[in-house]
Amino acid sequence: MPVFLTMARSPAAATVACLLVALFLVMSSTPAAADGYVKYKDPKQPINERVDDLLSRMTLEEKIGQMSQIERANATTTVIQKYFVGSVLSGGGSVPSDKATASTWQKMVTQMQKAALKTRLGIPIIYGIDAVHGNNNVYNATIFPHNVGLGATRDPNLVKKIGEATAHEARATGIPYTFAPCVAVCRDPRWGRCYESYSEDTRLVQLMTSNMVTGLQGDVPAKHPKGVPFVGGSKKVAGCAKHFVGDGGTTRGLNENNTVLSFHDLMRIHMPPYDNAVIKGISTIMISYSSWNGIKMHENKFLITETLKNKMNFRGFVITDWQAVDRITTPPHKHYHSIEETIHAGIDMVMIPYDYPEFAADLVSQVKKGQIKLDRINDAVSRILRVKFTMGLFEDPLPDPRLAKELGAQEHRAVAREAVRKSLVLLKNGKKGEPMLPLAKKAKKILVAGSHAHNLGYQCGGWTATWQGESGNNVTGVGKTILEAVKSAVDNDTAVEYAEKPDKEDIQKAGDYDYAIVAVGEAPYAETAGDNQNLTIPDPGEKVIKDVCGLVKCVVLIVSGRPLVVEPYVDYMDALVAAWLPGTEGQGITDVLFGDYGFTGKLPRTWFKSVDQLPMNYGDKRYNPLFPFGYGLTTKGTTSQN
């Protein structure tokens, strides 16, 4: 270059020379700029090179935008573009409109995505939703049994099919990212999230985790590097293993509480499912609200960075739970301090549904002051971009209208029905050696009773339509209650009478029932609202059992997210079935009750006699359950299981 300057003998010549130098420098630094080529937009380039190229072009504000996940209700075009928002989510029950169709969801996501694509660098957003037992926020979606029921199936291939169906129904609404699976090992059924856990047994949780991850994301290729995220195409979604780590082991089962364990026991009981998820290419991992030995997980650098990222080699991104940054201080929302602690701990994406302007301003300030190193920001953004490139969002950012038909597809409902019948656990069958089940379809008159016999919302539980779930039969759109399934299953000449709260005198007056089906259990709940130190059958369930079963030969279905206190009533019953939270496909229950299929389910967790025994898990020295882990009577059906 100096040769041009030595040749410049006049001011005019020097000016020309400088212009030539500047032009040469521009051309040499971006040799393909003339034809519009940008490396990060080239799908033929290795993902790591695309990440590095894009990261090198980003301002600090753009980087922090990628680390921000905001609630759908706030995600206007203006907000997305002003704050360079990297991710949007639907909280439980957050929908574009009441009973929104798949197309309505797609239009909403498309509008947000187009806003992101118009920003300077055109980085697409990643939209996330809690599709934890199907795409459960969406009207007319298939609602599968909650995880505790899937644990009872002992069928990992079925769990993989459920993951595939859930991915399809999420993509049907234009959503490429789900906060699932929950891989907690629930060690105390008093915990309000216990139904989100496959089992108290680590090995069973590992098995189900591996298959749900591959169902949602696709099978990782042979020799796929451990820890590198993988999403196998436009009908798959990015998954999220949660809640890291030990959330199912808190004292007395209190949600968001303290897990008191040695490092050895934490690694032995609660960590293995995460290792399985990492091996299967999980894209993201969500941190738990809970603490480990008094340290909040969201500020635990040892477990998040040193263990998960460095030792387990996780290369996807780590995300907070809802507003979790604000919960690590007492009182909450000491925002400036909280941000520094969580980012230093290794958090990459922050779920800040409403306080995103404050978050962005505070994080920018802390980086500029050197309180948070730019290297930590670059690591976080690199991980987020890696997942987005892996998903193909840069090449295929918009929802596919052709996939809308996947929502509630009949083949998905068939899988859900199979899952229901395989999840049922037969705990008692008959008195004095005379089996009651299967039930006769050609009975003259039968009674169907109880709070859960004709309530689709109760049948589905929490995380259905809304965060806490709802009561009623118009919650999910399509679905069959137990009563409706019974009416479909029995002979046309069989009289089916229904009473939610049957009166003893009315039962006596009616008389001549061949048998009764009693369905009782828990009302829907989620998270802390479900914490329960008593675990008794809610009123009037106990009275219904006594009144009906004291007069009529009966089978009792416990519809619940966990074992409940049933020992005082077992003698009243002729048969007892743990039905868990089966979802929309109630016919899966009658498939087994009436003998088309046999009972095959096994308890995924210990059924205690009294809450005074809790926590009590298989393998404990003092183990004296009503029904042990793995227990389940079997029957033969007229049709072989799928």
Side-chain angles (χ1 to χ4, degrees):
M1 299 305 154
V3 68
F4 289 111
L5 297 177
T6 57
M7 291 172 61
R9 301 297 184 184
S10 68
T15 300
V16 172
C18 287
L19 288 172
L20 288 170
V21 170
L23 179 62
F24 184 86
L25 287 171
V26 169
M27 292 180 67
S28 62
S29 62
T30 54
D35 62 3
Y37 178 83
V38 179
K39 180 180 277 191
Y40 77 85
K41 293 184 179 181
D42 184 356
K44 296 179 181 179
Q45 295 296 325
I47 285 177
N48 284 343
E49 292 188 20
R50 298 178 75 184
V51 168
D52 291 344
D53 180 63
L54 178 51
L55 189 69
S56 70
R57 300 169 185 269
M58 297 173 72
T59 64
L60 177 60
E61 288 74 13
E62 288 168 331
K63 291 174 182 178
I64 289 168
Q66 286 302 301
M67 297 171 67
S68 307
Q69 184 180 68
I70 71 171
E71 217 286 324
R72 176 204 62 81
N74 304 317
T76 64
T77 294
T78 300
V79 167
I80 289 171
Q81 294 181 340
K82 179 179 179 180
Y83 292 97
F84 310 104
V85 172
S87 184
V88 178
L89 84 153
S90 275
S94 178
V95 298
S97 61
D98 185 44
K99 300 178 182 177
T101 64
S103 296
T104 300
W105 280 90
Q106 285 202 11
K107 288 176 184 176
M108 178 192 70
V109 175
T110 297
Q111 182 178 354
M112 295 177 186
Q113 196 64 282
K114 285 183 175 179
L117 296 176
K118 288 180 181 177
T119 56
R120 184 178 74 93
L121 295 170
I123 305 173
I125 61 165
I126 178 172
Y127 196 109
I129 197 166
D130 284 283
V132 298
H133 62 141
N135 197 3
N136 43 263
N137 278 274
V138 180
Y139 197 68
N140 285 331
T142 307
I143 307 299
F144 296 91
H146 268 296
N147 285 356
V148 65
L150 301 186
T153 69
R154 299 297 201 278
D155 189 338
N157 292 326
L158 174 62
V159 168
K160 183 178 180 180
K161 288 195 289 183
I162 291 170
E164 291 169 346
T166 300
H168 288 193
E169 297 208 12
R171 285 287 192 171
T173 55
I175 296 172
Y177 176 31
T178 175
F179 307 120
C182 178
V183 303
V185 181
C186 176
R187 304 290 283 179
D188 193 325
R190 292 175 290 188
W191 185 37
R193 305 196 79 150
C194 204
Y195 64 79
E196 297 184 58
S197 167
Y198 294 112
S199 178
E200 70 186 42
D201 179 68
T202 302
R203 288 171 295 181
L204 182 53
V205 176
Q206 287 180 271
L207 181 65
M208 297 309 188
T209 294
S210 294
N211 284 274
M212 182 59 79
V213 170
T214 54
L216 291 168
Q217 297 195 157
D219 292 297
V220 293
K223 297 182 180 179
H224 186 75
K226 180 185 176 182
V228 176
F230 175 79
V231 180
S234 61
K235 282 194 174 184
K236 298 297 183 180
V237 295
C240 180
K242 64 183 189 183
H243 308 86
F244 186 89
V245 56
D247 53 339
T250 59
T251 302
R252 298 184 65 81
L254 293 172
N255 192 44
E256 304 181 22
N257 204 25
N258 191 27
T259 298
V260 181
L261 277 180
S262 67
F263 179 66
H264 172 79
D265 284 343
L266 184 75
M267 297 298 290
R268 178 178 63 86
I269 298 170
H270 298 282
M271 191 66 82
Y274 290 97
D275 200 48
N276 284 73
V278 169
I279 290 169
K280 295 298 182 180
I282 193 70
S283 297
T284 74
I285 290 177
M286 183 182 291
I287 304 303
S288 175
Y289 287 127
S290 60
S291 303
W292 174 51
N293 295 336
I295 301 173
K296 291 277 190 181
M297 277 304 311
H298 277 84
E299 58 180 346
N300 197 316
K301 184 175 182 179
F302 170 69
L303 289 175
I304 297 173
T305 297
E306 295 179 28
T307 304
L308 176 63
K309 289 184 172 180
N310 295 345
K311 291 185 179 178
M312 295 168 64
N313 209 38
F314 175 60
R315 291 292 176 264
F317 68 79
V318 173
I319 185 169
T320 73
D321 208 329
W322 178 275
Q323 291 183 314
V325 166
D326 287 338
R327 299 197 192 188
I328 68 170
T329 60
T330 304
H333 200 73
K334 289 186 177 180
H335 208 64
Y336 203 87
H337 168 77
S338 300
I339 291 171
E340 183 176 356
E341 290 298 312
T342 53
I343 302 303
H344 275 155
I347 299 293
D348 302 313
M349 183 178 284
V350 179
M351 194 183 291
I352 36 158
Y354 309 115
D355 296 329
Y356 51 91
E358 181 185 10
F359 168 78
D362 284 353
L363 188 48
V364 166
S365 172
Q366 290 184 45
V367 175
K368 288 184 176 179
K369 290 178 181 178
Q371 292 169 281
I372 296 175
K373 292 183 179 180
L374 188 59
D375 285 351
R376 175 75 271 274
I377 300 299
N378 287 342
D379 172 61
V381 177
S382 294
R383 290 168 175 274
I384 294 164
L385 295 177
R386 183 178 296 120
V387 170
K388 290 185 176 185
F389 282 121
T390 298
M391 295 170 68
L393 280 178
F394 283 80
E395 289 70 54
D396 193 16
L398 301 178
D400 184 348
R402 296 171 297 179
L403 298 180
K405 65 182 184 297
E406 296 273 0
L407 186 71
Q410 285 305 308
E411 54 266 38
H412 300 162
R413 296 193 182 279
V415 172
R417 184 170 174 174
E418 178 187 353
V420 173
R421 59 179 178 252
K422 288 183 174 180
S423 71
L424 303 177
V425 181
L426 182 58
L427 300 174
K428 180 180 180 179
N429 189 18
K431 295 178 179 178
K432 298 179 182 179
E434 297 180 8
M436 181 183 179
L437 302 176
L439 301 173
K441 293 183 179 181
K442 293 187 176 182
K444 290 182 180 179
K445 184 169 68 171
I446 65 175
L447 174 64
V448 179
S451 54
H452 289 60
H454 191 47
N455 192 316
L456 200 57
Y458 279 14
Q459 204 169 289
C460 292
W463 291 109
T464 307
T466 62
W467 174 37
Q468 292 292 325
E470 296 180 0
S471 174
N473 289 331
N474 196 30
V475 174
T476 62
V478 178
K480 272 193 182 292
T481 66
I482 294 168
L483 174 64
E484 291 167 339
V486 168
K487 288 180 176 179
S488 297
V490 297
D491 189 79
N492 289 335
D493 294 330
T494 299
V496 179
E497 296 184 3
Y498 165 67
E500 181 180 343
K501 302 175 184 178
D503 184 86
K504 203 169 184 179
E505 292 182 5
D506 291 338
I507 297 171
Q508 289 172 324
K509 288 177 183 177
D512 300 327
Y513 289 114
D514 289 69
Y515 55 80
I517 299 170
V518 177
V520 295
E522 298 181 296
Y525 57 82
E527 300 189 43
T528 304
D531 287 354
N532 186 331
Q533 297 299 306
N534 299 315
L535 296 180
T536 53
I537 299 173
D539 291 335
E542 297 172 2
K543 184 177 186 299
V544 172
I545 291 171
K546 290 178 180 178
D547 288 353
V548 176
C549 298
L551 296 169
V552 183
K553 190 177 182 182
C554 76
V555 53
V556 174
L557 307 175
I558 302 295
V559 181
S560 66
R562 53 201 163 187
L564 301 176
V565 176
V566 297
E567 187 182 33
Y569 322 108
V570 172
D571 287 344
Y572 286 87
M573 310 169 189
D574 293 274
L576 173 61
V577 177
W580 313 113
L581 297 170
T584 50
E585 308 312 299
Q587 285 176 291
I589 293 175
T590 53
D591 283 345
V592 183
L593 284 182
F594 291 99
D596 295 326
Y597 294 83
F599 280 93
T600 59
K602 303 295 180 184
L603 284 180
R605 55 182 320 100
T606 299
W607 202 295
F608 55 88
K609 294 177 181 178
S610 164
V611 291
D612 294 336
Q613 296 175 296
L614 300 177
M616 178 174 62
N617 295 281
Y618 176 70
D620 288 354
K621 290 181 180 179
R622 295 182 179 179
Y623 191 70
N624 183 29
L626 181 63
F627 303 107
F629 170 82
Y631 180 82
L633 302 173
T634 58
T635 61
K636 291 185 178 180
T638 57
T639 306
S640 61
Q641 286 278 15
N642 291 339

